[in-house]
Amino acid sequence: MKVSLPDRLAEYQAALGYVVKAGSSSTLQAAQSELVKGLGGLLGQTVSVSDQPKADGAVVLGTPDSSTIVKSLSLGNALTAVGNEGYVVQATTTGGYQAIVVAANTDVGVLRGCFALLRHLQCHRTVQSLSLSEAPKIQHRILDHWDNLDGSIERGYAGKSLWNWSSLPATISQRYTDYARANASIGINGVVLNNVNADSQILTSSYLDKVAALATAFRPYGIAVYLSAQFGAPKQIGGLSTADPLDSAVKLWWATEANTIYQKIPDFGGFLVKADSEGQPGPADYGRTHADGANMLVSALASHGGIVMWRAFVYKDDGTDRIGQAYKEFKPLDGKFSSGVVVQVKNGPLDFQPREPFSPLFGAMPSTPLGLELQITKEYLGEDTHLVYLGPLYEEVLKSDTYAKSQGSTVARVIDGTVHGYTTTAIAGVANVGSDTNWTGSHFNQANWYVFGRMAWNPDISAQDVADEWIRQTFTNDPAFVTPVTTMMMGSRQTTVNYMTPIGLAHIMGTDDHYGPAPWVNNLSQADWNPVYFHKADATGIGFDRTATGSNSVSQYAATVRDKFASRSTIPDDFLLFFQHVGWDDKLSSSGRSIWNELVYRYSYGVDSVGTMRDSWTGVQGYIDAKRFKDVGDFLQTQHYEARWWRDACLVYFAGVSKHTIPSGYATPAHDLAYYQNLMDKCPSDVTKPRCPDVYSGNPSPAILQ
Ligand code: BDP
């Protein structure tokens, strides 16, 4: 194994030789300990803690209040600019000695500065004339756990829940602390502990003691605890006969509940709520609106400083286009939500697909703070097994222009408050973390946790830069590894789109588990649970007409966006079948291929691209440890088989519907439709990996033959 010492080692040893003792708060002590540990590991030597600067190479950390040295450096303007959570890291001199100062206005800002410094060093960047300074653009940067109280995780693919409810509050696992450290290092400042499909038991006194113990473990790291609140709790555990948000007994119940919570957890963050959605109770059960429900809850929390994140993920079987429903329900409520409510909107109007357009709610609610909900756990993107780096997906969403006010009203600018002047700003990621040793089920899924945090802190950072820094910190700085692996990660999301849902297809996954291909499914009780509802393939063509000749959901976007998606000549290929029904033999102007041929090409190219990823990975053998090298290689092999499974199953099905055949130059699907339909039935969601080992034996052959 090649391990090259950084060229910078001598520079680092001279500049960062020892740490000057930090203040005594638990956060500053945590920051000091991260520096001592991190620098020790990087420099390969024990890093001492000194009471005072005593030679060149001091690392000084603190706030003007906690450190006389920081105070004496008169960082005034620089500190003012970074607010409550930001930091200033600078090369300077103190007492005649060269030093690096990590300064902030708050202890937690200092902690973030220490992590920024360590990141800088792990990427082997110079510390000469060092000057780093940053503040987060979004206030609430939250991980949403979909963890159940029985230890299972909805859409979790990395083992069991980290929270061991039965041993809490007495036992505080080291993993809780390590989890908090990891989150703090990427700027996350809140976690929702439990599933949005919430169990009201979490609001009972004995569970709140457990929640308080976790809050205590996370507090030094600047991480607040939030809970998913079950809207029906007043009935389920409160002994009331109603959960009507306008009922005075219900209001009192929630106010009392909030008081109890804040007695136990003074810095409790607030509630996340899934109401009137997928069978969950909500205000509509009593003829009330989402605003009535959210406002009642926030009035219980607001005096304590808590917020309510009210989810906009709603749809029902009412015969209208599913993707238009959230807008129809929420847009009329704009301006009706009380201060302290954030309406939390999934990135797309459907549901965490490999690709979908941004939700039309972004830009359409000027008087209601909207938070962005991204999914980190890859429910629809190969779960734990497939290597899909989500940075490009997040970047695509954040950069999407809503044209709410003018050009440049991107989703990033909407959620950071720039466009509409929101006073509360929030972003949430549905966590992919579990009890697995590597936290996330696969090594590369760690990159998705990482990029979520980095983009939540700074929505303008590029996916490529984050991939680069993640690789350097996780594996090695050797360019022979960094360059091909960055390329592999950056292409991985488009590759998955190609072999699962190319040119705007969506939601054609297997029922419930959402893992394998099942475009033929048409027998589920609710229309919009069926893949056929979404692709609308028939003898004439394929795609969902959402223009004026169809559902007209496209009209929910600002005119510039609407017109682009509605016209055949301007819609990007990536969204074509999401918005338009197109003849099988219509030509794409970009490639000159017919729709049918384009589908064959994209599906096939997707499979072959996984082959290329495998080749890239094989090429970096020896640069990292054998264990992780093998783990990743094994998953890539499974992904290659399953990409071929996706391609063959979808093409054999669409070939049948369209009465087209596979053009020459492409491999024919390995089996007939019945085989894949039968396979789906044989691959329930809980089978161990690889999910469908019998799809192919040996390596899949190339899908594009010439
Ligand atoms: C869907 C998931 C389901 C979640 C739901 C939600 O399949 O498990 O409960 O989203 O976000 O994607 O509430």
Side-chain angles (χ1 to χ4, degrees):
M1 183 164 102
K2 287 185 208 162
V3 179
S4 50
L5 281 177
D7 300 337
R8 305 239 178 245
L9 196 58
E11 180 193 328
Y12 288 179
Q13 280 168 341
L16 305 143
Y18 63 100
V19 174
V20 176
K21 196 164 184 281
S24 59
S25 80
S26 56
T27 300
L28 288 174
Q29 284 300 302
Q32 175 179 309
S33 135
E34 292 301 335
L35 276 185
V36 168
K37 215 176 293 177
L39 289 175
L42 277 158
L43 306 183
Q45 62 190 35
T46 305
V47 172
S48 62
V49 178
S50 162
D51 282 337
Q52 289 297 327
K54 54 178 184 189
D56 284 349
V59 184
V60 176
L61 64 157
T63 64
D65 284 344
S66 71
S67 159
T68 50
I69 305 175
V70 170
K71 191 169 185 180
S72 73
L73 290 173
S74 45
L75 294 162
N77 286 344
L79 279 184
T80 311
V82 299
N84 274 342
E85 282 195 83
Y87 54 80
V88 174
V89 180
Q90 264 180 24
T92 185
T93 53
T94 174
Y97 300 118
Q98 305 220 319
I100 287 184
V101 62
V102 182
N105 297 307
T106 61
D107 293 353
V108 82
V110 174
L111 177 69
R112 303 211 187 288
C114 290
F115 282 121
L117 173 61
L118 291 171
R119 180 162 60 239
H120 187 86
L121 303 176
Q122 281 186 290
C123 293
H124 296 182
R125 296 174 185 146
T126 184
V127 289
Q128 279 165 26
S129 317
L130 182 65
S131 177
L132 309 172
S133 143
E134 252 200 313
K137 296 206 168 93
I138 298 173
Q139 291 159 2
H140 301 282
R141 307 174 300 278
I142 298 180
L143 274 194
D144 288 359
H145 284 258
W146 284 359
D147 294 20
N148 298 314
L149 301 188
D150 66 1
S152 62
I153 306 180
E154 180 148 341
R155 311 303 174 186
Y157 314 104
K160 294 293 218 183
S161 170
L162 283 172
W163 326 132
N164 192 338
W165 295 112
S166 60
S167 70
L168 281 164
T171 307
I172 300 299
S173 148
Q174 176 61 32
R175 275 212 117 179
Y176 302 153
T177 310
D178 290 342
Y179 165 83
R181 295 171 60 211
N183 277 330
S185 77
I186 53 176
I188 285 168
N189 66 0
V191 294
V192 179
L193 294 176
N194 60 319
N195 192 355
V196 286
N197 297 314
D199 186 333
S200 46
Q201 286 302 315
I202 194 102
L203 299 172
T204 58
S205 182
S206 61
Y207 267 99
L208 290 177
D209 289 338
K210 299 167 192 282
V211 171
L214 288 172
T216 303
F218 299 162
R219 190 167 295 118
Y221 297 92
I223 291 163
V225 159
Y226 298 69
L227 292 176
S228 289
Q230 163 57 252
F231 198 79
K235 277 172 81 179
Q236 295 174 8
I237 57 166
L240 301 186
S241 59
T242 178
D244 182 348
L246 300 193
D247 182 280
S248 55
V250 170
K251 288 184 196 173
L252 180 64
W253 188 87
W254 281 109
T256 310
E257 176 68 29
N259 290 340
T260 309
I261 293 175
Y262 279 94
Q263 264 159 25
K264 293 177 194 277
I265 312 162
D267 52 357
F268 179 69
F271 290 142
L272 172 65
V273 187
K274 172 174 179 177
D276 296 321
S277 164
E278 295 187 329
Q280 292 297 328
D285 298 341
Y286 308 95
R288 316 296 184 198
T289 68
H290 291 287
D292 293 331
N295 295 347
M296 182 274 293
L297 284 180
V298 88
S299 71
L301 296 177
S303 64
H304 306 281
I307 63 167
V308 169
M309 295 164 291
W310 190 272
R311 298 177 83 229
F313 179 64
V314 295
Y315 63 94
K316 48 180 168 297
D317 201 9
D318 65 0
T320 68
D321 181 3
R322 162 155 166 192
I323 75 138
Q325 294 182 12
Y327 179 99
K328 280 196 240 157
E329 218 163 304
F330 278 86
K331 167 82 179 150
L333 298 175
D334 189 29
K336 302 223 157 69
F337 290 93
S338 304
S339 157
V341 176
V342 175
V343 171
Q344 185 163 305
V345 183
K346 286 187 182 183
N347 59 277
L350 180 47
D351 191 4
F352 296 142
Q353 296 303 296
R355 174 172 276 124
E356 52 182 308
F358 68 92
S359 164
L361 278 168
F362 293 111
M365 304 272 286
S367 307
T368 308
L370 296 187
L372 171 63
E373 180 176 307
L374 297 164
Q375 198 184 47
I376 308 171
T377 192
K378 305 194 320 290
E379 173 185 354
Y380 292 92
L381 291 110
E383 303 180 354
D384 52 341
T385 326
H386 294 205
L387 195 163
V388 185
Y389 171 52
L390 296 175
L393 189 161
Y394 299 165
E395 189 172 51
E396 183 175 299
V397 175
L398 290 162
K399 285 199 167 140
S400 294
D401 201 337
T402 69
Y403 285 86
K405 282 209 166 144
S406 54
Q407 193 170 10
S409 305
T410 59
V411 172
R413 296 289 81 82
V414 171
I415 61 161
D416 75 8
T418 310
V419 174
H420 302 302
Y422 295 159
T423 47
T424 312
T425 56
I427 182 166
V430 180
N432 63 349
V433 182
S435 61
D436 279 5
T437 308
N438 68 15
W439 299 95
T440 52
S442 87
H443 300 297
F444 273 86
N445 277 347
Q446 292 177 1
N448 294 327
W449 181 10
Y450 185 87
V451 69
F452 169 75
R454 299 286 288 133
M455 286 193 177
W457 176 273
N458 176 9
D460 299 326
I461 199 170
S462 85
Q464 167 126 1
D465 288 350
V466 177
D468 177 274
E469 66 178 44
W470 178 80
I471 294 168
R472 289 172 188 276
Q473 294 172 91
T474 306
F475 293 113
T476 168
N477 270 270
D478 194 320
F481 184 93
V482 176
T483 306
V485 175
T486 307
T487 304
M488 178 177 87
M489 286 173 72
M490 287 304 292
S492 61
R493 185 280 190 123
Q494 183 60 44
T495 288
T496 299
V497 169
N498 283 341
Y499 66 71
M500 284 188 183
T501 53
I503 49 173
L505 288 174
H507 219 305
I508 56 173
M509 292 77 187
T511 308
D512 295 333
D513 73 340
H514 300 159
Y515 191 73
W520 49 81
V521 171
N522 65 358
N523 58 357
L524 303 177
S525 61
Q526 185 161 324
D528 64 3
W529 289 342
N530 288 301
V532 296
Y533 170 91
F534 290 103
H535 62 64
K536 303 242 182 291
D538 56 23
T540 64
I542 180 169
F544 198 131
D545 183 3
R546 294 185 162 116
T547 69
T549 52
S551 74
N552 207 21
S553 292
V554 75
S555 66
Q556 294 177 343
Y557 290 94
T560 312
V561 182
R562 176 199 66 204
D563 293 348
K564 182 174 79 174
F565 287 153
S567 157
R568 186 73 174 74
S569 59
T570 51
I571 186 164
D573 292 349
D574 285 334
F575 298 115
L576 180 59
L577 304 182
F578 199 90
F579 287 107
Q580 303 192 16
H581 190 78
V582 188
W584 292 107
D585 299 317
D586 283 11
K587 291 264 185 329
L588 277 173
S589 53
S590 51
S591 67
R593 294 185 195 96
S594 70
I595 295 301
W596 168 247
N597 282 2
E598 185 71 20
L599 281 178
V600 176
Y601 169 73
R602 295 275 188 123
Y603 272 113
S604 308
Y605 185 61
V607 177
D608 291 351
S609 303
V610 183
T612 308
M613 290 166 74
R614 290 178 72 190
D615 292 344
S616 300
W617 191 249
T618 307
V620 296
Q621 180 162 22
Y623 289 92
I624 62 164
D625 56 283
K627 160 106 178 75
R628 286 187 299 173
F629 179 78
K630 180 172 183 322
D631 289 348
V632 173
D634 289 352
F635 271 3
L636 281 170
Q637 173 172 299
T638 300
Q639 182 176 358
H640 201 188
Y641 292 164
E642 293 182 344
R644 188 63 187 259
W645 168 36
W646 263 96
R647 172 214 187 250
D648 286 0
C650 291
L651 289 183
V652 85
Y653 168 73
F654 290 129
V657 177
S658 66
K659 308 271 180 282
H660 283 61
T661 54
I662 303 292
S664 68
Y666 295 93
T668 42
H671 303 281
D672 63 9
L673 180 60
Y675 174 89
Y676 296 107
Q677 289 173 326
N678 180 39
L679 190 66
M680 196 70 250
D681 297 336
K682 278 194 344 206
C683 292
S685 54
D686 59 352
V687 294
T688 48
K689 304 173 274 249
R691 305 297 173 110
C692 293
D694 57 343
V695 182
Y696 295 96
S697 52
N699 284 339
S701 52
I704 302 177
L705 302 177
Q706 57 185 24

